[in-house]
Amino acid sequence: MEKLLQQSSKSSMWSYFQKTTETEVQCKLCEAKLAYHKSTTTMHSHMRAKHPCESGGPSSQQQSIASFATRRRTCDDRRAEQTASLISKMIAKDMLPISFVEGEGFRSLMAFVEPEFSVPSRKTITTRLEKLFDDKTSELRTQLTNVEKVSLTTDSWTALTTESYVTITCHYIQSWKIQSAVLQTKAMPERHTAENIANVLSTATDHWGIRGKVIACVHDNASNMIRVNTEHVEWDSQPCFAHSLQLAINDGFKLQHINNVVTSASRLVSHFHHSTTATQALKQKQQLQHLPEHKLIQYCRTRWNSIYDMFQRLLEQRWAISAVLSDRAFTKLSDARTLELTDNNWSVMEELMPVLHSLKHATTALCGESGVSISMVYPVTATLISKHLKENEGESPKVSQFKRSVSASLERRLAPTDVCSAGKVAYIASFLDPRHKHLRFTSDDVKVAVQAKVSDLLSSRPEPELVEAVAVETELRAKKPRSDAASVSAIAALFGEDYYKEDTTDIESELNRYCQDKCPSPQIDPMDWWKTNENKYPQLAKLASAYLCVPATSVPSERVFSTAGLIVNRLRSRLHPVHVDIKIVDLYLFPQRWVLGGWGQSGGSYCRIFEY
């Protein structure tokens, strides 16, 4: 073995290679591994092919390995282009300011990593982001061309710079997966009247080539948004379920005795948030009583379910809080008398918790999970009213009154019972959702009216067989001789156009079979169900792909504004509104952010609401 090593060391190739095993060597220049069979022939071949400069002559063979370690790697045009492209995408994906490329720390890093690379200027990065925007929007516009129906969500927002923006998101079904994309987030300096907002929406649909394809728009309950979608546009108006639910819950909290409890609880939490002494004392009492060292949660009017979170945390820490308030070393007597909650307050909070818990699950099920369709709105509302807001014997009159108030508000906002409402998108979507197709949440008259509406929609759809027959006939006329074309026309005339028309009895048969089938579990993903049963109900499947793409809430637009708030911050207060739109669209048009996916793990929240 020692003799073999001595022979090996005589070859100059061992300046560039090292043995890793008895049958393998590794190049010190590029770390490539080669087979070794007690000969340096393979090493010579590798050096001639991969490192010709290093094996060019005797002088190069005698250089020390240290000189190779210090030699700089060249940055050719191809590598420079890839590096600049990655920097542009990093700025878009990580929401960095464009001036990031001019930072001294970033330039020092690039000088070390890639010494020969010239870091692009802010203007160059802006140009690249604009090109990236153009490329991605072109891809999206091509996809939208092949989509039959889409839905929109929209909302407005005011930035740190006091500029007002309107965002529009688009949702559609492709291969039984819900796809979502941000169409635009544009500045709107004009007054937010119904006419001006309608003009923005119409311009967007024309720009993206989806005019006539929009089936519904989901929006908040602002009066101008309601007027836009009921008076000025051609699609259906759908108020955001989450906003409507929170308005109904707030109607319950407006009751005087409930509002007093909320006010007292909020005052108590504020004391602990503003007093470092009380906060430290609470930690000590939590440790003594072996309670979780949790901070108290403050109620916020704009944060949904925050009253539930505040009540839950107060009840969890009730005795630690009482210990702090009764300890005169931490709390003055006058403060304690003001802050202490009465037994009646604690009792009301305990009794309200199950109701608020159910309402929180309803909010989570429809806006906390991506891809939830509008088909869930009426079933969830009806279940809340009939089950979770139902008055129980022995409960406090205050809690009963709260339930009645919320229930009445929900019925007024989200539970239409008249037959005229059967044509609403939410009813049709519920019928096309296999979990709720029996429409157990409404009256028999409305069920019949909804089924009749669906039957009309199926009958009025383009007849694919006739269209296909005409296309085939046209193609044959173009390709075949004149005599053959005349033959085809004769055959068509012989059978007549009615031969190709779809029999309406087939539609009724398909509709009846669909209604008679058993409803699947609320846990299943309706997209998976339709993917499996598409061939069984071909006409209904096409209708389902058009109606199940409508979101239950306008949360997609609100999430964009959360992102926009991170983009238009104090470091980027001079960002032009056009570039705000570009950065947001660039961010959301990357594949991992473009597709929001299907129902995900939605079954858990659904099962907490439904029991059928």
Side-chain angles (χ1 to χ4, degrees):
M1 186 67 181
E2 292 179 357
K3 183 177 181 181
L4 178 64
L5 291 175
Q6 290 175 359
Q7 292 175 351
S8 300
S9 63
K10 295 178 182 179
S11 174
S12 61
M13 288 295 102
W14 291 105
S15 299
Y16 309 107
F17 292 88
Q18 61 181 359
K19 291 181 67 175
T20 55
T21 66
E22 290 296 325
T23 59
E24 186 181 72
V25 294
Q26 185 177 31
C27 177
K28 296 178 181 178
L29 300 179
C30 64
E31 299 184 353
K33 293 184 179 180
L34 308 175
Y36 175 66
H37 302 290
K38 300 182 180 180
S39 170
T40 59
T41 303
T42 307
M43 303 183 209
H44 279 287
S45 300
H46 175 79
M47 292 298 294
R48 284 194 297 270
K50 303 295 183 181
H51 314 290
C53 295
E54 312 302 337
S55 58
S59 59
S60 63
Q61 295 177 0
Q62 301 300 323
Q63 294 180 21
S64 66
I65 195 65
S67 64
F68 299 109
T70 58
R71 184 175 284 111
R72 292 181 176 180
R73 178 180 57 198
T74 59
C75 183
D76 55 18
D77 293 342
R78 178 172 171 272
R79 185 174 180 82
E81 174 62 26
Q82 290 179 340
T83 304
S85 177
L86 288 172
I87 291 174
S88 300
K89 291 181 179 180
M90 176 187 70
I91 289 175
K93 292 171 68 174
D94 296 342
M95 296 181 290
L96 298 172
I98 298 176
S99 60
F100 175 79
V101 295
E102 297 179 346
E104 183 179 348
F106 175 71
R107 289 183 173 271
S108 298
L109 173 65
M110 294 305 299
F112 175 78
V113 174
E114 204 63 76
E116 296 186 7
F117 174 72
S118 178
V119 178
S121 65
R122 176 171 17 188
K123 185 177 180 180
T124 302
I125 290 295
T126 301
T127 303
R128 285 180 170 274
L129 288 174
E130 291 172 348
K131 183 180 183 302
L132 181 63
F133 170 82
D134 293 337
D135 293 343
K136 293 297 182 180
T137 51
S138 178
E139 292 176 16
L140 178 58
R141 192 179 288 109
T142 301
Q143 286 209 14
L144 292 176
T145 303
N146 302 321
V147 175
E148 184 178 355
K149 292 293 182 182
V150 301
S151 64
L152 304 177
T153 72
T154 185
D155 204 352
S156 58
W157 173 77
T158 302
L160 177 71
T161 56
T162 67
E163 291 173 317
S164 180
Y165 290 86
V166 173
T167 197
I168 304 173
T169 68
C170 177
H171 310 267
Y172 55 97
I173 292 176
Q174 195 172 53
S175 300
W176 293 114
K177 289 186 180 295
I178 293 186
Q179 311 286 344
S180 300
V182 179
L183 298 186
Q184 66 179 45
T185 300
K186 290 190 177 296
M188 186 177 174
E190 304 88 2
R191 291 183 60 199
H192 285 204
T193 62
E195 292 77 11
N196 290 338
I197 296 176
N199 183 54
V200 171
L201 293 175
S202 298
T203 303
T205 56
D206 290 337
H207 174 73
W208 290 95
I210 56 176
R211 178 173 287 277
K213 295 184 177 183
V214 181
I215 196 167
C217 179
V218 184
H219 51 84
D220 59 23
N221 288 271
S223 58
N224 57 345
M225 284 294 184
I226 294 175
R227 282 192 59 209
V228 167
N229 290 276
T230 55
E231 300 177 11
H232 297 278
V233 292
E234 57 190 10
W235 51 74
D236 191 68
S237 170
Q238 183 57 46
C240 172
F241 169 81
H243 282 98
S244 301
L245 178 60
Q246 295 308 311
L247 289 173
I249 296 173
N250 289 337
D251 287 342
F253 285 125
K254 289 178 183 177
L255 297 173
Q256 187 62 41
H257 50 273
I258 301 295
N259 185 57
N260 291 340
V261 176
V262 174
T263 302
S264 300
S266 180
R267 182 170 58 245
L268 175 61
V269 173
S270 295
H271 170 72
F272 281 91
H273 279 190
H274 293 94
S275 172
T276 56
T277 302
T279 301
Q280 293 301 319
L282 182 61
K283 288 183 178 180
Q284 295 178 14
K285 303 302 181 181
Q286 288 170 338
Q287 293 172 356
L288 290 174
Q289 298 181 18
H290 304 289
L291 292 172
E293 295 185 25
H294 293 158
K295 293 182 179 180
L296 301 183
I297 299 175
Q298 181 59 282
Y299 153 63
C300 177
R301 288 183 60 86
T302 58
R303 203 172 85 235
W304 299 334
N305 303 307
S306 58
I307 291 182
Y308 167 80
D309 296 332
M310 179 177 69
F311 283 0
Q312 184 185 45
R313 187 58 53 83
L314 285 172
L315 290 169
E316 176 192 85
Q317 302 293 333
R318 176 178 180 178
W319 301 115
I321 294 171
S322 298
V324 173
L325 296 180
S326 61
D327 192 336
R328 294 295 164 262
F330 302 111
T331 310
K332 298 178 181 178
L333 180 60
S334 57
D335 292 339
R337 289 174 176 173
T338 304
L339 296 172
E340 281 182 345
L341 300 179
T342 65
D343 291 340
N344 182 59
N345 289 342
W346 290 108
S347 177
V348 170
M349 282 194 290
E350 286 179 345
E351 291 189 50
L352 280 176
M353 285 303 292
V355 185
L356 298 179
H357 186 65
S358 300
L359 294 171
K360 181 175 182 178
H361 278 313
T363 307
T364 304
L366 271 74
C367 68
E369 296 158 356
S370 63
V372 178
S373 169
I374 198 175
S375 63
M376 293 291 297
V377 170
Y378 288 162
V380 168
T381 302
T383 304
L384 287 174
I385 293 173
S386 63
K387 184 183 300 183
H388 303 286
L389 294 175
K390 185 178 180 181
E391 296 180 43
N392 301 319
E393 294 183 4
E395 69 184 5
S396 168
K398 297 179 180 179
V399 176
S400 296
Q401 190 175 356
F402 175 81
K403 288 182 176 181
R404 286 195 300 271
S405 177
V406 175
S407 179
S409 184
L410 277 178
E411 287 182 347
R412 185 177 70 255
R413 299 175 187 276
L414 292 172
T417 57
D418 57 309
V419 176
C420 298
S421 63
K424 287 183 173 290
V425 170
Y427 264 129
I428 298 173
S430 295
F431 178 78
L432 294 171
D433 187 332
R435 301 169 297 178
H436 311 298
K437 62 183 178 181
H438 292 165
L439 305 179
R440 298 175 182 173
F441 51 86
T442 190
S443 64
D444 292 338
D445 292 339
V446 174
K447 291 179 186 178
V448 173
V450 171
Q451 293 183 21
K453 179 63 177 178
V454 171
S455 180
D456 292 342
L457 290 172
L458 291 175
S459 301
S460 62
R461 287 181 62 82
E463 298 164 355
E465 286 80 2
L466 180 58
V467 173
E468 184 178 354
V470 172
V472 170
E473 183 178 348
T474 304
E475 183 178 357
L476 288 172
R477 284 177 179 175
K479 293 183 178 180
K480 292 192 175 183
R482 190 178 187 85
S483 60
D484 291 341
S487 171
V488 173
S489 299
I491 293 174
L494 176 64
F495 287 105
E497 292 184 357
D498 292 342
Y499 183 80
Y500 298 104
K501 288 185 178 179
E502 185 177 335
D503 190 355
T504 56
T505 57
D506 292 338
I507 293 177
E508 295 300 329
S509 174
E510 182 177 324
L511 192 58
N512 291 333
R513 284 187 288 109
Y514 175 74
C515 294
Q516 291 169 5
D517 279 355
K518 183 180 179 181
C519 285
S521 167
Q523 290 182 323
I524 67 106
D525 184 340
M527 296 294 104
D528 292 338
W529 190 93
W530 275 113
K531 186 176 182 180
T532 303
N533 294 274
E534 182 177 10
N535 294 330
K536 187 177 180 181
Y537 308 109
Q539 299 302 317
L540 282 168
K542 295 173 184 176
L543 205 60
S545 67
Y547 280 83
L548 293 180
C549 68
V550 184
T553 70
S554 59
V555 168
S557 296
E558 305 229 0
R559 284 176 177 158
V560 173
F561 289 136
S562 297
T563 302
L566 297 175
I567 291 177
V568 188
N569 56 29
R570 296 187 184 279
L571 292 177
R572 280 168 288 197
S573 59
R574 295 170 58 192
L575 198 62
H576 193 276
V578 173
H579 291 149
V580 172
D581 186 29
I582 288 175
K583 292 205 69 174
I584 290 175
V585 173
D586 282 349
L587 172 66
Y588 278 89
L589 285 183
F590 283 107
Q592 65 268 30
R593 293 181 182 269
W594 187 351
V595 181
L596 298 186
W599 267 250
Q601 302 296 323
S602 57
S605 294
Y606 293 159
C607 286
R608 295 186 183 99
I609 300 173
F610 302 108
E611 292 183 0
Y612 58 83

